[in-house]
């Protein structure tokens, strides 16, 4: 499915490419790849098309694709989102960079688009170029523009500079950089450019000087300690960066806020405590999902995975972003990335067709079941599901789409009516385990402490502490939870009313660098817990009795101390007055 | 035609790239077999304390992956194993695998009695030789498979029988001998990863001569709770807390006399390690001597975060020489501040060399012909029909990209067996 | 207020032998590794930057090229293979040509053809002159040079040549002084110039700076060539002074071109042997090194480097052969060798001393001296402030 009339994307504009082994520039071989795609009978190509709407979930997606005014619906197993990037708008650049002041100040993207025919000429009159300056990081690595580095523009500048040199050995080509970033083997291209006599200037803030007929760049050369003036330039090329296509379009949470303000409407129950994801109407997939039409974005609007070890795990099951939509990258990486995304897509189809979950509980055959008769349409589950698996019908009943579900149990923890359960995991089950905990009588002077631990990290850490024969307080009883997000408040209430003296929740780190395997589980548990204090007050219990603690899997060295300290606190607070009721 | 034997995929090396390739392929329904040289799976990331930029522990992801392996009957693995021979062609490879003896079988419960009984000590390779372990040892705290190993030297020693007898579960088998296994596989993923560049070759930095000059991989171990100092970052020479720590970037990288390429991760690794130091020593002063700071894409955020710390000084200049000052305590780094043309001698009491990643294929190539680049990396992911390279064996990079590469290799390996 | 990039310098420097400076990524390793670089005068990276940016004026003002003895440490450890030591060598050639107001040096350096032709012309001219202007009845029984070319005539020629050379060299040196010191030249009180004069002598004689380099062999070789050459030079000058017939002076004992043979342990004879050995050893070592490209400093050989070594070695060889033929008392071979000797030695002196590599004999100690003066001055300024 390609929006443009031709396959190939931006690469179609490119004449030469720089890739492994980075010893020089190479011819663009895109055409061969396109041929391969169009000739493969297993690939159906839509060009000049758009996805009007996507419904369903992995294994049962249905995408409505419109092309030339006709629409067709397609059954799809999984989706690779490789919709790429847009160049940063050069009009927004700092005036110092001179864009717009002269036709001969162009961007790296314009360079490719203008000269893919062959000859590189001065934009204003097509004359041969002999003096050219490349200014790197234009509107990049800059809090006022793109705060990140686009990773490929250093290599691109080297490539374009080499192209100019190849056309005219005597050309004077400057690369004014802030930081030369050529990791891995691409360092060789940097060396190659130096060997070809390209001049490098390290400068944090070059200035383009445009007067009637002349173009110059003044750059404070850090490595010389003086400003260098490059005069009589035929062309200045600005290295602008990549913006993922997912960064365009209004954020729906903003929309909703607006709507709320306009209608001054109050929901039946206040759901404002749940932090909402940024989802923009970027018109790529047009998902009919309750939580929004596209993938939730991470920082700077990349719908990437937050996991270092699981880079394909986007927040929507069965939809795998690849290429520059995920993070800025060059072609070599993008190709590998796409292959990886396809791998995940195939795997998703395979697992889903067997009725199993995908990462991280891959192979799990159970799924959440809703006892709908008792549902109050409170929307907790639909809002909280980290993967947007639950839609809503017109009556606001939750409609779980099981193939989108990752089996985290967050919905189960969220549901105030406790009507969501798995075959092997339910509110009642854990409730029964709590019930089974023996609580010493008050006169035994032995408090009882319940630990609800995330089974992925915290529980594993407790395990490690055990293996290392570390000791912690004997009052403690541990119940592992699938994800702390599946913690239902009823367990806290039950425990306290049963006379358990303290409860500590052990979950993964949340916040910007969250480590929760289910993205939001531990955060949601923490939020839920914060509401417990009201309950505690009502019951006239001390708020110290419940606590949330962040632990990672390697924290077993400090875990015993954390638990011991909690036990001490509980001891000080004294026995739970509900004991023996 | 497809038959079950040749539809299976061999993955050599179980670092993040190999592990990923094997698991992803298995979860898509293909039989995979992992061959790993170490006695444990997971590769080098086991030895890292935290990952940049999230500063999260590598075990977190490893644990998920190990669980995926345990649950999945389609994955087999051999540890302490190496591929000796590959013959045949795509779809029909014959592979000879050599298995080195561990001397401990699956009955081991990790009770540790053998280690208690053992008096022989060996260098702890997991901690880069910074401490010693018993010759009957668990490779590391979270090793998978969780099973002890006996060092061959111990087995040959007089102590052997005593150790065997000490095991309450009769898990020790002193007669284990190396053996070979023949496998038929359809395609192969080669993911044998990297090794730290040998710092002994950097004589200008006095590694090996001055104990307080260490490498970045050693620093990861020093910071780790499972490391030689239980996570305390101290000067190896006297166990004191360091006051001034210098990170020497591009130590043997981007250097024609050593590794001409850039390892891509060591700038970020040093910044990450600077955060370790700052966490333990709020007053410590840190220098990072660099040529270029290579924090690509959103890793730039991490750079900005570290830059905000006033105690961390980024110093533009490559360190040329390290010597010891007269009192024998401080190390003196000779370096030019290239932004001011000043020649400086800067004292530090702990120096961390940011050494690069050298592909393991540079000294242990594949037992079948594939193209390499100038530095010993496999020249392309499609190394040869049916053989695919993944991870740092192809290009030096960080974990998320390595995983991406492993996933891609899994696809190619599957395509290869399906084509047949 | 900044400098302008000049694309031409880099191309120009190529003619002076620059090859790898492009590759420098300004890591700063070379400056930090250089044993002679000091906080006051950091090099060589700075000079590479000047070259890359085409900053001719800055190069002209730079004393640093003369502070480098080409030990090669920087080139050996440069991570980029940018051969910074070579850049310093090129800078010396370039500066030599810039100091030279006649423009001859530039031609000499930038055109190998010109170099060879110039040397051949001078050589042939000398040969012809000796051929034409010899005495009517040479002694064919004994090897008596005076009987062919009487000492007074040779002395006159020598003095004429010496004066011209001295004028050229001194004027070039003066330009060197002017360029490197700039405005400071006149600001610094004379007194400091005088007190620091001893530095000049010390540096010249001991090459002390060179000793600070890590590669001692290079210093030894350099010292051998330098002392060997200076010894011969001194002998010639002293003998010239001893027998200046032209102005009626003559002290027979140390007259120039005497046909006596000194006893073996005579100091003059011993000095002669030392010089011969020193030069032959040094030049042979350097030539083999250059052929094998064994060290950083030998990796890139400019035409003038070869010419320098060849001329020096030929001069010495012919010199020592003359000594032997005289010992054997073979008249004809002695005379022929003498012609060849002068045909080599004279071009070497005439062309190399003011215009090429030999000129560093003057420039280097002078610049070192000036740096000492400058340092002293700046110190005093600081003290005063
Ligand atoms: C100091 C330092 C800090 C780092 N910090 C980070 C960080 O914070 N974040 C990050 O993302 N990245 C970091 N990295 C990079 C990270 O370590 C690598 O990206 C990662 O280890 C690459 O994984 P791999 O699978 O390619 O290789 P490896 O981890 O090396 O795995 C290769 C496996 O193959 C095995 N093997 C080797 N040869 C054979 C053979 N012949 N037969 C069988 N098996 C074999 C090895 O034993 C090993 O288990 C750091 C690197 C360094 C040097
Ligand atoms: S790749 Fe280079 S030019 Fe592009 S943002 Fe990064 S540092 Fe700047
Ligand atoms: S189990 Fe998790 S993923 Fe599935 S519906 Fe519930 S909250 Fe969503
Ligand atoms: S959380 Fe429970 S009650 Fe609320 S909508 Fe979902 S299923 Fe219904
Ligand atoms: S990542 Fe940084 S330290 Fe490592 S080789 Fe590259 S530039 Fe040098
Ligand atoms: S060592 Fe080499 S690359 Fe570094 S500054 Fe010197 S010449 Fe340049
Ligand atoms: S050759 Fe030696 S003296 Fe000259 S700049 Fe290099 S290191 Fe210094």
């Amino acid at each position: 499915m390609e929006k443009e009339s031709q396959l190939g994307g931006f690469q179609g504009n490119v004449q030469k490419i720089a890739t492994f082994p980075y010893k020089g520039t190479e011819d663009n071989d895109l055409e061969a790849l396109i041929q391969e795609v169009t000739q493969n009978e297993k690939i159906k190509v839509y060009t000049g098309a758009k996805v009007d709407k996507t419904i369903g979930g992995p294994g049962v997606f249905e995408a409505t694709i419109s092309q030339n005014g006709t629409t067709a619906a397609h059954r799809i197993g999984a989706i690779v989102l490789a919709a790429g990037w847009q160049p940063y708008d050069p009009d927004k650049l700092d005036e110092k960079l001179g864009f717009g002041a002269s036709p001969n100040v162009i961007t790296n993207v314009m360079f490719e688009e203008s000269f893919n025919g062959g000859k590189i000429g001065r934009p204003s009159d097509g004359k041969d170029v002999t003096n050219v300056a490349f200014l790197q990081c234009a509107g990049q690595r800059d809090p006022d523009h793109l705060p990140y580095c686009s990773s490929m523009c250093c290599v691109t500048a080297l490539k374009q500079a080499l192209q100019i040199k190849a056309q005219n050995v005597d050309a004077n080509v400057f690369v004014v950089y802030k930081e030369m970033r050529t990791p891995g083997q691409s360092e060789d291209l940097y060396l190659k450019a130096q060997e070809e006599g390209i001049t490098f200037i390290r400068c944090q803030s070059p200035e383009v000087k445009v007067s009637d007929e002349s173009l110059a760049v003044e750059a404070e050369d850090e490595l010389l300690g003086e400003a260098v003036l490059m005069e009589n330039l035929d062309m200045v090329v600005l290295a602008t960066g990549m913006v993922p296509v997912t960064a365009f379009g209004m954020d729906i949470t903003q929309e909703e806020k607006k709507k709320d303000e306009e209608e001054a409407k109050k929901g039946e129950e206040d759901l404002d405590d749940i932090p909402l994801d940024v989802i923009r109407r970027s018109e790529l997939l047009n998902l009919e999902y309750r939580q929004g039409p596209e993938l939730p974005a991470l920082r700077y609007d990349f719908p990437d995975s937050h996991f270092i070890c699981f880079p394909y795990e986007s927040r929507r099951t069965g939809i795998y972003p690849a290429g520059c939509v995920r993070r800025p990258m060059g072609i070599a990486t993008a190709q590998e990335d796409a292959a990886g995304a396809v791998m995940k897509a195939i795997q998703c189809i395979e697992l889903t067709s067997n009725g199993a979950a995908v990462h991280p509980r891959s192979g799990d055959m159970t799924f959440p079941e809703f006892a709908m008769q008792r549902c109050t349409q409170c929307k907790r589950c639909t809002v909280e599901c980290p993967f947007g698996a639950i839609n809503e019908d017109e009556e606001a009943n939750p409609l779980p789409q099981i193939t989108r579900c990752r089996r985290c149990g967050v919905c189960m923890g969220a549901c105030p009516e406790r009507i969501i359960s798995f075959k092997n995991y339910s509110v009642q089950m854990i409730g029964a385990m709590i019930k089974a905990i023996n609580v010493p009588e008050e006169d035994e002077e032995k408090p009882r402490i319940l630990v609800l631990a995330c089974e992925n990290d915290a529980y594993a850490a407790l395990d490690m502490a055990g293996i290392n024969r570390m000791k912690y307080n004997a009052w403690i009883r541990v119940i592992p939870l699938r994800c702390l997000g599946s913690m239902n408040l009823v367990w806290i209430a039950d425990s306290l009313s049963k006379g358990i003296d303290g409860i500590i929740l052990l979950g993964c780190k949340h916040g910007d660098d969250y480590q929760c395997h289910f993205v939001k589980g531990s955060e949601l548990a923490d939020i839920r817990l914060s509401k417990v204090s009201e309950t505690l007050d009502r019951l006239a219990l001390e708020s110290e009795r419940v606590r949330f603690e962040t632990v990672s899997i390697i924290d077993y060295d400090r875990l015993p101390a954390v638990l011991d300290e909690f036990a001490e606190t509980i001891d000080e607070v004294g026995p739970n007055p509900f004991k023996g009721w | 035609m497809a038959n079950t034997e040749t539809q299976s995929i061999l993955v050599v090396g179980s670092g993040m790239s190999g592990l990923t390739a094997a698991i992803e392929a298995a979860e898509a329904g293909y039989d995979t077999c992992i061959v790993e040289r170490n006695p444990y799976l997971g590769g080098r990331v086991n030895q890292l304390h935290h990952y940049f930029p999230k500063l999260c522990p590598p075990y977190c992801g490893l644990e998920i992956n190990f669980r995926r392996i345990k649950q999945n009957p389609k994955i087999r693995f051999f540890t302490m194993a190496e591929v000796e021979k590959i013959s045949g062609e795509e779809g029909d490879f014959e592979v000879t695998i050599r298995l080195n003896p561990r001397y401990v079988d699956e009955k081991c419960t990790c009770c540790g009695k053998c280690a208690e009984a053992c008096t022989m000590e060996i260098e702890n390779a997991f901690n880069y030789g910074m401490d010693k372990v018993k010759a009957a040892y668990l490779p590391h705290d979270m090793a998978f498979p969780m099973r002890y190993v006996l060092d061959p030297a111990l087995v040959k020693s007089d102590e052997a029988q005593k150790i065997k007898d000490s095991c309450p579960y009769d898990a020790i088998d002193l007669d284990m001998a190396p053996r070979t296994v023949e496998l038929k596989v359809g395609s192969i993923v080669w993911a044998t990863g990297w090794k730290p560049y040998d710092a002994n070759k950097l004589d200008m930095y006095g590694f090996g001569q001055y104990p307080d000059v260490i490498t970045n991989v050693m620093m990861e171990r020093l910071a780790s709770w499972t490391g030689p100092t239980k996570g305390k970052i101290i000067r190896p020479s006297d166990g004191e807390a360091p006051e001034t720590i210098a990170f020497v970037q591009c130590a043997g990288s981007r250097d024609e006399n050593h590794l001409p390429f850039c390892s891509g991760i060591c700038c970020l690794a040093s910044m990450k390690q600077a955060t370790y130091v700052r966490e333990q020593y709020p007053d410590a002063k840190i220098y990072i001597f660099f040529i270029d700071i290579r924090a690509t894409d959103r890793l730039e955020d991490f750079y900005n975060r570290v830059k905000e710390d006033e105690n961390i000084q980024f110093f533009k200049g490559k360190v040329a020489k390290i010597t010891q000052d007269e009192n024998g305590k401080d190390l003196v780094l000779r370096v030019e501040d290239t932004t001011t043309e000043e020649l400086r001698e800067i004292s530090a009491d702990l120096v961390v060399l940011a050494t690069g990643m050298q592909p393991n294929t540079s000294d242990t190539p594949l037992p079948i012909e594939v193209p390499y680049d100038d530095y010993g990396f496999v020249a392309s992911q499609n190394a040869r029909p049916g053989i695919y390279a993944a991870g740092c064996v192809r290009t030096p990079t960080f974990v998320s990209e390595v995983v991406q590469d492993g996933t891609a290799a899994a696809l190619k390996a599957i395509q290869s067996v399906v084509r047949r | 207020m900044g400098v302008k990039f000049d694309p031409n310098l880099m191309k120009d420097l190529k003619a002076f032998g620059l090859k790898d400076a492009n590759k420098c990524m300004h890591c700063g390793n070379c400056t930090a590794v250089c044993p002679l670089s000091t906080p006051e005068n950091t090099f060589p990276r700075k000079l590479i930057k000047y070259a890359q940016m085409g900053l001719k004026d800055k190069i002209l003002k730079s004393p640093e090229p003369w502070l480098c003895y080409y030990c090669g440490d920087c080139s050996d450890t440069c991570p980029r293979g940018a051969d910074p030591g070579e850049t310093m060598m090129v800078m010396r050639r370039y500066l030599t040509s810039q100091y030279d107001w006649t423009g001859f040096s530039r031609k000499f350096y930038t055109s190998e053809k010109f170099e060879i032709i110039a040397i051949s012309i001078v050589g042939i001219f000398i040969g012809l002159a000796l051929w034409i202007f010899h005495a009517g009845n040479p002694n064919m029984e004994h090897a008596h040079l005076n009987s062919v070319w009487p000492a007074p005539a040779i002395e006159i020629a020598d003095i004429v040549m010496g004066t011209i050379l001295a004028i050229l060299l001194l004027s070039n040196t003066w330009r060197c002084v002017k360029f490197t010191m700039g405005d400071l030249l006149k600001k610094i009180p004379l007194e400091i110039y005088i007190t620091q004069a001893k530095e000049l002598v010390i540096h010249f004689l001991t090459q002390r700076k060179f000793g600070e380099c890590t590669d001692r062999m290079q210093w030894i070789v350099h010292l051998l060539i330098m002392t060997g050459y200076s010894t011969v030079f001194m002998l010639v000058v002293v003998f010239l002074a001893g027998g200046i017939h032209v102005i009626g002076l003559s002290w027979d004992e140390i007259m120039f071109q005497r046909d006596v043979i000194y006893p073996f342990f005579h100091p003059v004879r011993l000095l002669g042997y030392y010089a011969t050995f020193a030069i032959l050893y040094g030049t042979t070592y350097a030539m083999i090194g250059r052929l094998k490209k064994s060290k950083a400093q030998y990796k890139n050989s400019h035409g003038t480097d070869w010419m320098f070594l060849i001329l020096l070695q030929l001069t010495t060889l012919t010199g020592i052969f003359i000594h032997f033929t005289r010992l054997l008392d073979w008249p004809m071979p002695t005379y022929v060798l003498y012609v060849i000797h002068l045909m080599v030695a004279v071009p070497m002196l005439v062309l190399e001393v003011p215009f090429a590599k030999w000129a560093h004999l003057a420039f280097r100690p002078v610049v070192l001296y000036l740096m000492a003066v400058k340092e002293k001055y700046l110190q005093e300024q600081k003290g005063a402030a």
Side-chain angles (χ1 to χ4, degrees), chain B residues 249-250 253-254 262-267 292 294:
Chain B
Q249 297 312 106
C250 304
S253 296
R254 300 179 68 186
C262 155
S263 279
I265 52 89
C266 13
C267 282
D292 291 286
R294 294 193 163 162

Side-chain angles (χ1 to χ4, degrees), chain B residues 318 336 338, chain C residues 21 23-31 44-45 48 52 74 77-84:
Chain B
K318 181 178 161 77
E336 183 198 359
T338 53
Chain C
K23 293 197 244 170
C24 168
M25 61 173 168
H26 297 280
C27 67
N29 186 74
C30 47
T31 298
R45 184 188 69 82
I48 303 168
Q52 288 180 341
C74 55
T77 57
C78 169
R80 236 358 183 211
D83 211 342

Side-chain angles (χ1 to χ4, degrees), chain B residues 205 253-257 260 290-292 316-321 334-344, chain C residues 23 25-29 31-39 42 45-46 50 75-81:
Chain B
Y205 294 152
S253 296
R254 300 179 68 186
D255 188 339
E256 299 213 320
N257 306 309
F290 69 98
I291 305 176
D292 291 286
K316 172 121 178 65
K318 181 178 161 77
V319 174
K321 265 194 276 211
R334 205 170 135 102
V335 57
E336 183 198 359
D337 182 342
T338 53
T339 61
T340 57
E341 291 176 5
E342 273 172 291
L343 189 59
R344 300 277 304 273
Chain C
K23 293 197 244 170
M25 61 173 168
H26 297 280
C27 67
N29 186 74
T31 298
V33 91
C34 172
L36 302 180
S37 176
T38 59
T42 60
R45 184 188 69 82
K46 193 162 70 181
Y50 295 165
S75 294
D76 285 339
T77 57
C78 169
R80 236 358 183 211

Side-chain angles (χ1 to χ4, degrees), chain C residues 354-382:
Chain C
F355 303 126
K357 194 152 176 154
W358 272 122
H360 82 270
L361 214 68
F363 300 150
R364 192 196 300 278
V366 164
V367 170
L368 279 169
Y369 162 68
L370 291 174
M371 285 306 106
V373 168
K374 188 170 156 189
E375 201 178 312
K376 182 93 194 183
Y377 172 71
L378 292 179
Q379 252 172 26
E380 281 181 10
Q381 289 294 96
K382 238 206 225 144

Side-chain angles (χ1 to χ4, degrees), chain A residues 218-234:
Chain A
E218 191 176 64
E220 182 73 31
D221 188 338
E222 283 183 6
L223 302 172
L224 179 68
E226 251 179 290
V228 176
L229 189 63
M230 288 152 268
E231 289 178 313
N232 304 322
L233 295 174
D234 298 306

Side-chain angles (χ1 to χ4, degrees), chain B residues 48-345:
Chain B
L48 302 181
H49 176 47
H50 281 158
Y51 282 145
F52 57 76
K54 277 174 70 180
L55 302 179
C56 54
Y59 282 134
C60 170
L62 285 174
E63 166 66 21
I64 301 183
N65 281 333
F66 295 155
R67 199 161 37 189
R68 288 163 84 190
I69 292 182
K70 282 184 229 165
Q71 279 166 1
N72 197 325
K74 290 199 174 283
I75 310 180
R76 279 199 295 165
F77 61 85
F78 297 105
T79 50
M80 306 187 73
E82 268 168 90
V83 174
E84 247 175 15
K85 204 174 129 212
I86 300 175
S87 58
E89 56 177 89
E90 179 172 29
D92 187 21
F93 287 114
E94 288 255 4
V95 181
T96 311
I97 298 165
R98 180 191 156 93
L99 302 176
N100 292 312
R102 181 192 273 269
Y103 304 107
V104 177
D105 64 24
E106 61 292 333
K107 292 199 286 297
C108 171
T109 64
C110 288
C111 70
K113 291 273 190 291
C114 53
E116 275 169 36
C118 176
T119 58
M120 181 188 274
E121 291 200 324
I122 52 166
E123 226 175 52
N124 188 354
F126 192 74
N127 287 339
Y128 296 100
M130 285 186 286
D131 63 353
K132 296 217 177 278
V133 279
K134 294 285 179 62
Y137 62 102
L138 185 64
H140 64 99
D141 262 24
M142 299 222 184
F144 178 82
M146 189 60 104
R147 198 190 299 172
Y148 273 63
V149 190
L150 300 196
D151 192 82
L154 177 66
V155 175
K156 282 194 212 99
S157 78
D158 306 338
E159 248 189 292
Q161 193 56 40
K162 183 182 84 186
I163 307 290
K164 179 178 164 57
D165 297 341
S166 74
C167 177
Y169 303 96
D170 192 27
I172 295 176
D173 174 1
L174 296 175
D175 300 325
M176 265 189 208
R179 57 192 181 95
T180 56
V181 185
E182 305 277 333
L183 277 189
K184 266 187 166 299
V185 295
S187 60
I188 299 172
V189 174
W190 200 267
T192 55
W194 59 278
K195 57 177 181 180
Y197 184 68
D198 182 4
N200 288 306
K201 292 187 189 154
L202 306 171
D203 40 2
M204 64 282 194
Y205 294 152
F207 180 81
Q209 186 185 354
Y210 311 129
D212 295 330
V213 176
I214 62 171
T215 63
N216 51 2
V217 288
M218 291 162 82
M219 183 62 160
E220 293 289 339
R221 297 313 304 142
L222 276 184
S224 165
W225 190 70
T226 60
T229 55
K230 290 231 174 298
K232 267 261 144 246
I233 298 170
I234 48 174
R235 289 158 44 90
S237 64
D238 55 10
E240 299 269 314
E243 283 161 17
T244 310
I245 297 95
F247 289 91
V248 176
Q249 297 312 106
C250 304
S253 296
R254 300 179 68 186
D255 188 339
E256 299 213 320
N257 306 309
H258 301 280
L259 302 177
F261 57 88
C262 155
S263 279
I265 52 89
C266 13
C267 282
L268 291 149
S270 289
M271 291 193 270
K272 171 183 73 172
Q273 295 178 351
T275 69
Y276 300 167
V277 175
R278 295 288 291 127
E279 205 187 352
Q280 293 191 11
Y281 304 113
D283 297 323
K285 167 106 185 114
I286 293 169
Y287 289 98
I288 297 180
F289 297 97
F290 69 98
I291 305 176
D292 291 286
I293 290 290
R294 294 193 163 162
T296 49
D297 66 73
R298 280 162 296 163
L299 293 165
E300 180 76 19
D301 285 352
F302 187 64
Y303 176 29
N304 286 328
R305 196 163 112 198
V306 176
K307 252 197 315 202
E308 268 171 25
D309 187 330
E310 282 172 3
N311 278 20
I312 301 178
Q313 191 189 338
F314 286 85
F315 189 114
K316 172 121 178 65
K318 181 178 161 77
V319 174
K321 265 194 276 211
I322 299 176
T323 50
Q324 206 159 36
D325 72 357
E326 302 91 53
N327 65 27
K329 187 163 180 285
D330 281 357
L331 297 155
V332 181
L333 292 82
R334 205 170 135 102
V335 57
E336 183 198 359
D337 182 342
T338 53
T339 61
T340 57
E341 291 176 5
E342 273 172 291
L343 189 59
R344 300 277 304 273
E345 295 203 325

